[in-house]
Amino acid sequence: MIDIEEAQRRIDEIQSLYREWLRLLPELEAAQDEWRKAAEIIRKLDGFYSGEYNRYYTEIENGLPVSLETEGEYSIMSQDALYDAFGDHYRLSWEWMRLAVASLDPDKRSG
């Protein structure tokens, strides 16, 4: 027979977890929207880097008087800036993928 106090304690614990899930759900959905925006930004940065970057870089090296002043971040004309952004996106993409697979794979679930 189930002890009523133990049953109540367990039900309250799981109810609290469910309440926490409901609180997190909108944040998770918003994070997916942000991820989609970030992926679109990376796509555009990659398009610039693979298409126009070399032309601009060469012209700037030859004296094209454009301002490379930023708001504190690295200039996109620094190869390291875009390279790091692509690397961060790649790393985060794999981390999201691993999290999703672990959530879907019953052998990888904790509990």
Side-chain angles (χ1 to χ4, degrees), residues 38-78:
E40 179 63 18
I41 289 168
I42 287 295
R43 187 188 66 72
K44 289 177 181 180
L45 291 174
D46 185 52
F48 172 80
Y49 186 71
S50 60
E52 302 168 77
Y53 179 87
N54 284 332
R55 186 182 79 187
Y56 285 113
Y57 184 83
T58 300
E59 291 298 323
I60 290 168
E61 287 290 306
N62 289 332
L64 184 66
V66 297
S67 172
L68 298 179
E69 190 173 321
T70 70
E71 296 177 14
E73 72 278 10
Y74 291 111
S75 167
I76 54 97
M77 293 313 299
S78 160

mmCIF file of all heavy atoms in Angstrom, residues 38-78:
data_model
loop_
_atom_site.group_PDB
_atom_site.id
_atom_site.type_symbol
_atom_site.label_atom_id
_atom_site.label_comp_id
_atom_site.label_asym_id
_atom_site.label_seq_id
_atom_site.Cartn_x
_atom_site.Cartn_y
_atom_site.Cartn_z
ATOM 1 N N ALA A 38 19.487 34.186 -35.638
ATOM 2 C CA ALA A 38 20.944 34.078 -35.641
ATOM 3 C C ALA A 38 21.429 33.308 -36.863
ATOM 4 O O ALA A 38 22.427 33.682 -37.493
ATOM 5 C CB ALA A 38 21.431 33.405 -34.356
ATOM 6 N N ALA A 39 20.732 32.241 -37.224
ATOM 7 C CA ALA A 39 21.122 31.440 -38.391
ATOM 8 C C ALA A 39 21.012 32.269 -39.669
ATOM 9 O O ALA A 39 21.854 32.158 -40.569
ATOM 10 C CB ALA A 39 20.258 30.182 -38.487
ATOM 11 N N GLU A 40 19.994 33.113 -39.748
ATOM 12 C CA GLU A 40 19.842 33.984 -40.922
ATOM 13 C C GLU A 40 20.971 35.011 -40.977
ATOM 14 O O GLU A 40 21.504 35.302 -42.045
ATOM 15 C CB GLU A 40 18.476 34.676 -40.893
ATOM 16 C CG GLU A 40 18.228 35.618 -42.052
ATOM 17 C CD GLU A 40 18.220 34.952 -43.417
ATOM 18 O OE1 GLU A 40 18.075 33.715 -43.509
ATOM 19 O OE2 GLU A 40 18.372 35.696 -44.410
ATOM 20 N N ILE A 41 21.346 35.549 -39.829
ATOM 21 C CA ILE A 41 22.468 36.495 -39.780
ATOM 22 C C ILE A 41 23.746 35.809 -40.241
ATOM 23 O O ILE A 41 24.500 36.364 -41.055
ATOM 24 C CB ILE A 41 22.619 37.076 -38.358
ATOM 25 C CG1 ILE A 41 21.456 38.029 -38.061
ATOM 26 C CG2 ILE A 41 23.967 37.778 -38.193
ATOM 27 C CD1 ILE A 41 21.355 38.440 -36.601
ATOM 28 N N ILE A 42 24.007 34.612 -39.742
ATOM 29 C CA ILE A 42 25.219 33.878 -40.147
ATOM 30 C C ILE A 42 25.185 33.598 -41.641
ATOM 31 O O ILE A 42 26.211 33.710 -42.324
ATOM 32 C CB ILE A 42 25.370 32.577 -39.327
ATOM 33 C CG1 ILE A 42 25.794 32.910 -37.900
ATOM 34 C CG2 ILE A 42 26.367 31.619 -39.973
ATOM 35 C CD1 ILE A 42 27.170 33.533 -37.749
ATOM 36 N N ARG A 43 24.018 33.262 -42.180
ATOM 37 C CA ARG A 43 23.908 33.010 -43.617
ATOM 38 C C ARG A 43 24.306 34.259 -44.408
ATOM 39 O O ARG A 43 25.045 34.188 -45.385
ATOM 40 C CB ARG A 43 22.489 32.576 -43.979
ATOM 41 C CG ARG A 43 22.336 32.124 -45.434
ATOM 42 C CD ARG A 43 20.889 31.892 -45.815
ATOM 43 N NE ARG A 43 20.094 33.102 -45.821
ATOM 44 C CZ ARG A 43 20.176 34.074 -46.736
ATOM 45 N NH1 ARG A 43 21.017 33.992 -47.721
ATOM 46 N NH2 ARG A 43 19.401 35.142 -46.647
ATOM 47 N N LYS A 44 23.853 35.423 -43.952
ATOM 48 C CA LYS A 44 24.190 36.668 -44.631
ATOM 49 C C LYS A 44 25.671 37.012 -44.476
ATOM 50 O O LYS A 44 26.310 37.474 -45.427
ATOM 51 C CB LYS A 44 23.317 37.807 -44.114
ATOM 52 C CG LYS A 44 21.870 37.687 -44.556
ATOM 53 C CD LYS A 44 21.008 38.789 -43.966
ATOM 54 C CE LYS A 44 19.563 38.638 -44.414
ATOM 55 N NZ LYS A 44 18.704 39.694 -43.846
ATOM 56 N N LEU A 45 26.215 36.796 -43.280
ATOM 57 C CA LEU A 45 27.648 37.038 -43.082
ATOM 58 C C LEU A 45 28.484 36.126 -43.974
ATOM 59 O O LEU A 45 29.475 36.563 -44.573
ATOM 60 C CB LEU A 45 28.037 36.831 -41.612
ATOM 61 C CG LEU A 45 27.511 37.849 -40.605
ATOM 62 C CD1 LEU A 45 27.858 37.417 -39.187
ATOM 63 C CD2 LEU A 45 28.054 39.237 -40.897
ATOM 64 N N ASP A 46 28.068 34.879 -44.081
ATOM 65 C CA ASP A 46 28.781 33.929 -44.931
ATOM 66 C C ASP A 46 28.682 34.333 -46.402
ATOM 67 O O ASP A 46 29.664 34.224 -47.148
ATOM 68 C CB ASP A 46 28.230 32.515 -44.722
ATOM 69 C CG ASP A 46 29.027 31.484 -45.495
ATOM 70 O OD1 ASP A 46 30.266 31.453 -45.352
ATOM 71 O OD2 ASP A 46 28.408 30.726 -46.254
ATOM 72 N N GLY A 47 27.520 34.816 -46.803
ATOM 73 C CA GLY A 47 27.369 35.282 -48.178
ATOM 74 C C GLY A 47 28.319 36.431 -48.483
ATOM 75 O O GLY A 47 28.936 36.481 -49.541
ATOM 76 N N PHE A 48 28.438 37.351 -47.542
ATOM 77 C CA PHE A 48 29.373 38.465 -47.706
ATOM 78 C C PHE A 48 30.808 37.943 -47.780
ATOM 79 O O PHE A 48 31.575 38.322 -48.663
ATOM 80 C CB PHE A 48 29.232 39.458 -46.549
ATOM 81 C CG PHE A 48 30.289 40.520 -46.547
ATOM 82 C CD1 PHE A 48 30.191 41.617 -47.391
ATOM 83 C CD2 PHE A 48 31.389 40.433 -45.697
ATOM 84 C CE1 PHE A 48 31.174 42.602 -47.401
ATOM 85 C CE2 PHE A 48 32.365 41.401 -45.695
ATOM 86 C CZ PHE A 48 32.264 42.488 -46.552
ATOM 87 N N TYR A 49 31.154 37.068 -46.831
ATOM 88 C CA TYR A 49 32.534 36.585 -46.747
ATOM 89 C C TYR A 49 32.928 35.784 -47.991
ATOM 90 O O TYR A 49 34.018 35.950 -48.524
ATOM 91 C CB TYR A 49 32.723 35.743 -45.482
ATOM 92 C CG TYR A 49 34.160 35.339 -45.282
ATOM 93 C CD1 TYR A 49 35.104 36.292 -44.916
ATOM 94 C CD2 TYR A 49 34.567 34.025 -45.461
ATOM 95 C CE1 TYR A 49 36.428 35.934 -44.729
ATOM 96 C CE2 TYR A 49 35.880 33.667 -45.278
ATOM 97 C CZ TYR A 49 36.813 34.621 -44.912
ATOM 98 O OH TYR A 49 38.126 34.268 -44.734
ATOM 99 N N SER A 50 32.025 34.949 -48.457
ATOM 100 C CA SER A 50 32.375 34.103 -49.603
ATOM 101 C C SER A 50 32.193 34.819 -50.938
ATOM 102 O O SER A 50 32.688 34.347 -51.957
ATOM 103 C CB SER A 50 31.566 32.804 -49.582
ATOM 104 O OG SER A 50 30.193 33.074 -49.649
ATOM 105 N N GLY A 51 31.529 35.980 -50.950
ATOM 106 C CA GLY A 51 31.291 36.664 -52.213
ATOM 107 C C GLY A 51 31.990 37.995 -52.374
ATOM 108 O O GLY A 51 32.656 38.242 -53.369
ATOM 109 N N GLU A 52 31.860 38.865 -51.404
ATOM 110 C CA GLU A 52 32.322 40.244 -51.553
ATOM 111 C C GLU A 52 33.572 40.580 -50.754
ATOM 112 O O GLU A 52 34.258 41.556 -51.064
ATOM 113 C CB GLU A 52 31.216 41.205 -51.102
ATOM 114 C CG GLU A 52 29.906 41.058 -51.839
ATOM 115 C CD GLU A 52 28.822 41.832 -51.129
ATOM 116 O OE1 GLU A 52 28.804 43.062 -51.276
ATOM 117 O OE2 GLU A 52 28.021 41.192 -50.409
ATOM 118 N N TYR A 53 33.827 39.830 -49.720
ATOM 119 C CA TYR A 53 34.884 40.178 -48.767
ATOM 120 C C TYR A 53 36.212 40.475 -49.446
ATOM 121 O O TYR A 53 36.821 41.522 -49.198
ATOM 122 C CB TYR A 53 35.048 39.071 -47.726
ATOM 123 C CG TYR A 53 36.140 39.366 -46.735
ATOM 124 C CD1 TYR A 53 35.874 40.112 -45.602
ATOM 125 C CD2 TYR A 53 37.437 38.922 -46.944
ATOM 126 C CE1 TYR A 53 36.866 40.408 -44.695
ATOM 127 C CE2 TYR A 53 38.443 39.216 -46.049
ATOM 128 C CZ TYR A 53 38.159 39.962 -44.919
ATOM 129 O OH TYR A 53 39.151 40.258 -44.028
ATOM 130 N N ASN A 54 36.698 39.576 -50.286
ATOM 131 C CA ASN A 54 38.023 39.752 -50.895
ATOM 132 C C ASN A 54 38.107 41.033 -51.714
ATOM 133 O O ASN A 54 39.145 41.712 -51.694
ATOM 134 C CB ASN A 54 38.403 38.539 -51.745
ATOM 135 C CG ASN A 54 38.821 37.364 -50.891
ATOM 136 O OD1 ASN A 54 39.323 37.537 -49.785
ATOM 137 N ND2 ASN A 54 38.602 36.165 -51.398
ATOM 138 N N ARG A 55 37.063 41.354 -52.424
ATOM 139 C CA ARG A 55 37.063 42.580 -53.222
ATOM 140 C C ARG A 55 37.211 43.804 -52.323
ATOM 141 O O ARG A 55 38.032 44.680 -52.569
ATOM 142 C CB ARG A 55 35.785 42.668 -54.050
ATOM 143 C CG ARG A 55 35.796 43.851 -55.022
ATOM 144 C CD ARG A 55 34.518 43.941 -55.783
ATOM 145 N NE ARG A 55 33.545 44.568 -54.871
ATOM 146 C CZ ARG A 55 32.279 44.709 -55.117
ATOM 147 N NH1 ARG A 55 31.751 44.242 -56.215
ATOM 148 N NH2 ARG A 55 31.483 45.290 -54.261
ATOM 149 N N TYR A 56 36.411 43.867 -51.265
ATOM 150 C CA TYR A 56 36.508 44.994 -50.344
ATOM 151 C C TYR A 56 37.861 45.021 -49.636
ATOM 152 O O TYR A 56 38.465 46.085 -49.471
ATOM 153 C CB TYR A 56 35.377 44.964 -49.305
ATOM 154 C CG TYR A 56 34.053 45.387 -49.863
ATOM 155 C CD1 TYR A 56 33.007 44.483 -49.992
ATOM 156 C CD2 TYR A 56 33.832 46.701 -50.263
ATOM 157 C CE1 TYR A 56 31.784 44.878 -50.497
ATOM 158 C CE2 TYR A 56 32.610 47.102 -50.780
ATOM 159 C CZ TYR A 56 31.595 46.182 -50.892
ATOM 160 O OH TYR A 56 30.381 46.575 -51.393
ATOM 161 N N TYR A 57 38.325 43.871 -49.201
ATOM 162 C CA TYR A 57 39.605 43.796 -48.501
ATOM 163 C C TYR A 57 40.733 44.348 -49.376
ATOM 164 O O TYR A 57 41.537 45.164 -48.928
ATOM 165 C CB TYR A 57 39.902 42.348 -48.091
ATOM 166 C CG TYR A 57 41.153 42.205 -47.277
ATOM 167 C CD1 TYR A 57 41.128 42.429 -45.905
ATOM 168 C CD2 TYR A 57 42.365 41.869 -47.867
ATOM 169 C CE1 TYR A 57 42.273 42.306 -45.145
ATOM 170 C CE2 TYR A 57 43.521 41.755 -47.111
ATOM 171 C CZ TYR A 57 43.467 41.973 -45.750
ATOM 172 O OH TYR A 57 44.605 41.873 -45.000
ATOM 173 N N THR A 58 40.752 43.921 -50.631
ATOM 174 C CA THR A 58 41.778 44.381 -51.560
ATOM 175 C C THR A 58 41.689 45.885 -51.772
ATOM 176 O O THR A 58 42.702 46.595 -51.749
ATOM 177 C CB THR A 58 41.658 43.639 -52.906
ATOM 178 O OG1 THR A 58 41.818 42.239 -52.663
ATOM 179 C CG2 THR A 58 42.694 44.110 -53.902
ATOM 180 N N GLU A 59 40.492 46.386 -51.964
ATOM 181 C CA GLU A 59 40.319 47.825 -52.189
ATOM 182 C C GLU A 59 40.722 48.638 -50.958
ATOM 183 O O GLU A 59 41.327 49.710 -51.086
ATOM 184 C CB GLU A 59 38.882 48.143 -52.596
ATOM 185 C CG GLU A 59 38.519 47.639 -53.980
ATOM 186 C CD GLU A 59 39.362 48.272 -55.091
ATOM 187 O OE1 GLU A 59 39.697 49.479 -54.999
ATOM 188 O OE2 GLU A 59 39.691 47.547 -56.048
ATOM 189 N N ILE A 60 40.402 48.151 -49.784
ATOM 190 C CA ILE A 60 40.800 48.849 -48.549
ATOM 191 C C ILE A 60 42.322 48.837 -48.422
ATOM 192 O O ILE A 60 42.936 49.857 -48.082
ATOM 193 C CB ILE A 60 40.117 48.215 -47.320
ATOM 194 C CG1 ILE A 60 38.614 48.521 -47.357
ATOM 195 C CG2 ILE A 60 40.736 48.714 -46.025
ATOM 196 C CD1 ILE A 60 37.785 47.717 -46.368
ATOM 197 N N GLU A 61 42.930 47.696 -48.715
ATOM 198 C CA GLU A 61 44.399 47.615 -48.683
ATOM 199 C C GLU A 61 45.030 48.582 -49.683
ATOM 200 O O GLU A 61 46.126 49.093 -49.462
ATOM 201 C CB GLU A 61 44.864 46.186 -48.980
ATOM 202 C CG GLU A 61 44.629 45.214 -47.840
ATOM 203 C CD GLU A 61 45.543 45.498 -46.658
ATOM 204 O OE1 GLU A 61 46.767 45.559 -46.846
ATOM 205 O OE2 GLU A 61 45.005 45.649 -45.537
ATOM 206 N N ASN A 62 44.339 48.840 -50.789
ATOM 207 C CA ASN A 62 44.834 49.756 -51.824
ATOM 208 C C ASN A 62 44.438 51.208 -51.558
ATOM 209 O O ASN A 62 44.626 52.064 -52.417
ATOM 210 C CB ASN A 62 44.343 49.327 -53.210
ATOM 211 C CG ASN A 62 45.032 48.069 -53.675
ATOM 212 O OD1 ASN A 62 46.168 47.786 -53.295
ATOM 213 N ND2 ASN A 62 44.336 47.294 -54.490
ATOM 214 N N GLY A 63 43.846 51.476 -50.386
ATOM 215 C CA GLY A 63 43.592 52.850 -50.009
ATOM 216 C C GLY A 63 42.150 53.313 -50.045
ATOM 217 O O GLY A 63 41.893 54.513 -49.887
ATOM 218 N N LEU A 64 41.188 52.431 -50.269
ATOM 219 C CA LEU A 64 39.780 52.845 -50.251
ATOM 220 C C LEU A 64 39.474 53.456 -48.887
ATOM 221 O O LEU A 64 39.608 52.797 -47.858
ATOM 222 C CB LEU A 64 38.861 51.652 -50.524
ATOM 223 C CG LEU A 64 37.369 51.934 -50.637
ATOM 224 C CD1 LEU A 64 37.091 52.790 -51.885
ATOM 225 C CD2 LEU A 64 36.583 50.639 -50.689
ATOM 226 N N PRO A 65 39.088 54.739 -48.853
ATOM 227 C CA PRO A 65 38.943 55.449 -47.574
ATOM 228 C C PRO A 65 37.597 55.204 -46.881
ATOM 229 O O PRO A 65 36.784 56.118 -46.740
ATOM 230 C CB PRO A 65 39.104 56.916 -47.983
ATOM 231 C CG PRO A 65 38.542 56.972 -49.367
ATOM 232 C CD PRO A 65 38.887 55.632 -49.991
ATOM 233 N N VAL A 66 37.355 53.990 -46.437
ATOM 234 C CA VAL A 66 36.135 53.686 -45.689
ATOM 235 C C VAL A 66 36.468 53.631 -44.199
ATOM 236 O O VAL A 66 37.595 53.327 -43.818
ATOM 237 C CB VAL A 66 35.487 52.356 -46.144
ATOM 238 C CG1 VAL A 66 35.042 52.431 -47.586
ATOM 239 C CG2 VAL A 66 36.413 51.188 -45.917
ATOM 240 N N SER A 67 35.506 53.937 -43.374
ATOM 241 C CA SER A 67 35.695 53.861 -41.930
ATOM 242 C C SER A 67 35.477 52.423 -41.474
ATOM 243 O O SER A 67 34.473 51.784 -41.825
ATOM 244 C CB SER A 67 34.704 54.770 -41.204
ATOM 245 O OG SER A 67 34.774 54.539 -39.809
ATOM 246 N N LEU A 68 36.385 51.919 -40.705
ATOM 247 C CA LEU A 68 36.237 50.591 -40.112
ATOM 248 C C LEU A 68 35.982 50.699 -38.607
ATOM 249 O O LEU A 68 36.128 49.731 -37.883
ATOM 250 C CB LEU A 68 37.484 49.740 -40.393
ATOM 251 C CG LEU A 68 37.770 49.469 -41.866
ATOM 252 C CD1 LEU A 68 39.038 48.637 -42.017
ATOM 253 C CD2 LEU A 68 36.599 48.808 -42.558
ATOM 254 N N GLU A 69 35.560 51.894 -38.187
ATOM 255 C CA GLU A 69 35.233 52.124 -36.789
ATOM 256 C C GLU A 69 33.994 51.317 -36.432
ATOM 257 O O GLU A 69 33.052 51.220 -37.220
ATOM 258 C CB GLU A 69 34.970 53.613 -36.572
ATOM 259 C CG GLU A 69 34.864 53.989 -35.127
ATOM 260 C CD GLU A 69 34.777 55.496 -34.955
ATOM 261 O OE1 GLU A 69 35.469 56.233 -35.673
ATOM 262 O OE2 GLU A 69 33.975 55.910 -34.097
ATOM 263 N N THR A 70 33.989 50.740 -35.254
ATOM 264 C CA THR A 70 32.862 49.925 -34.802
ATOM 265 C C THR A 70 32.335 50.461 -33.481
ATOM 266 O O THR A 70 32.853 51.435 -32.949
ATOM 267 C CB THR A 70 33.284 48.451 -34.626
ATOM 268 O OG1 THR A 70 34.156 48.366 -33.494
ATOM 269 C CG2 THR A 70 33.975 47.908 -35.868
ATOM 270 N N GLU A 71 31.359 49.808 -32.937
ATOM 271 C CA GLU A 71 30.800 50.180 -31.626
ATOM 272 C C GLU A 71 31.476 49.407 -30.501
ATOM 273 O O GLU A 71 30.924 49.257 -29.420
ATOM 274 C CB GLU A 71 29.292 49.940 -31.623
ATOM 275 C CG GLU A 71 28.547 50.800 -32.610
ATOM 276 C CD GLU A 71 27.060 50.513 -32.654
ATOM 277 O OE1 GLU A 71 26.539 49.833 -31.735
ATOM 278 O OE2 GLU A 71 26.415 50.967 -33.618
ATOM 279 N N GLY A 72 32.666 48.897 -30.766
ATOM 280 C CA GLY A 72 33.425 48.165 -29.749
ATOM 281 C C GLY A 72 33.742 46.740 -30.145
ATOM 282 O O GLY A 72 34.623 46.106 -29.575
ATOM 283 N N GLU A 73 33.023 46.209 -31.117
ATOM 284 C CA GLU A 73 33.299 44.851 -31.603
ATOM 285 C C GLU A 73 34.404 44.915 -32.664
ATOM 286 O O GLU A 73 34.784 45.987 -33.108
ATOM 287 C CB GLU A 73 32.031 44.214 -32.183
ATOM 288 C CG GLU A 73 31.578 44.777 -33.507
ATOM 289 C CD GLU A 73 30.764 46.058 -33.422
ATOM 290 O OE1 GLU A 73 30.657 46.686 -32.343
ATOM 291 O OE2 GLU A 73 30.236 46.462 -34.468
ATOM 292 N N TYR A 74 34.915 43.764 -33.038
ATOM 293 C CA TYR A 74 35.910 43.716 -34.106
ATOM 294 C C TYR A 74 35.271 44.116 -35.430
ATOM 295 O O TYR A 74 34.085 43.912 -35.649
ATOM 296 C CB TYR A 74 36.497 42.306 -34.253
ATOM 297 C CG TYR A 74 37.367 41.893 -33.098
ATOM 298 C CD1 TYR A 74 36.956 40.901 -32.214
ATOM 299 C CD2 TYR A 74 38.606 42.495 -32.900
ATOM 300 C CE1 TYR A 74 37.766 40.523 -31.149
ATOM 301 C CE2 TYR A 74 39.423 42.118 -31.832
ATOM 302 C CZ TYR A 74 38.988 41.138 -30.963
ATOM 303 O OH TYR A 74 39.785 40.766 -29.921
ATOM 304 N N SER A 75 36.074 44.655 -36.310
ATOM 305 C CA SER A 75 35.600 44.993 -37.651
ATOM 306 C C SER A 75 35.370 43.725 -38.459
ATOM 307 O O SER A 75 36.154 42.782 -38.372
ATOM 308 C CB SER A 75 36.637 45.857 -38.373
ATOM 309 O OG SER A 75 36.338 45.949 -39.754
ATOM 310 N N ILE A 76 34.332 43.733 -39.281
ATOM 311 C CA ILE A 76 34.066 42.580 -40.139
ATOM 312 C C ILE A 76 35.130 42.439 -41.228
ATOM 313 O O ILE A 76 35.202 41.409 -41.883
ATOM 314 C CB ILE A 76 32.647 42.621 -40.762
ATOM 315 C CG1 ILE A 76 32.376 43.922 -41.512
ATOM 316 C CG2 ILE A 76 31.610 42.363 -39.703
ATOM 317 C CD1 ILE A 76 32.611 43.805 -42.971
ATOM 318 N N MET A 77 35.948 43.451 -41.393
ATOM 319 C CA MET A 77 37.033 43.336 -42.360
ATOM 320 C C MET A 77 38.236 42.625 -41.755
ATOM 321 O O MET A 77 39.209 42.355 -42.432
ATOM 322 C CB MET A 77 37.418 44.710 -42.922
ATOM 323 C CG MET A 77 36.319 45.335 -43.769
ATOM 324 S SD MET A 77 35.568 44.222 -45.011
ATOM 325 C CE MET A 77 36.985 43.819 -46.034
ATOM 326 N N SER A 78 38.161 42.296 -40.482
ATOM 327 C CA SER A 78 39.157 41.442 -39.849
ATOM 328 C C SER A 78 38.689 40.006 -40.087
ATOM 329 O O SER A 78 37.609 39.629 -39.649
ATOM 330 C CB SER A 78 39.227 41.718 -38.348
ATOM 331 O OG SER A 78 39.806 40.639 -37.663
#
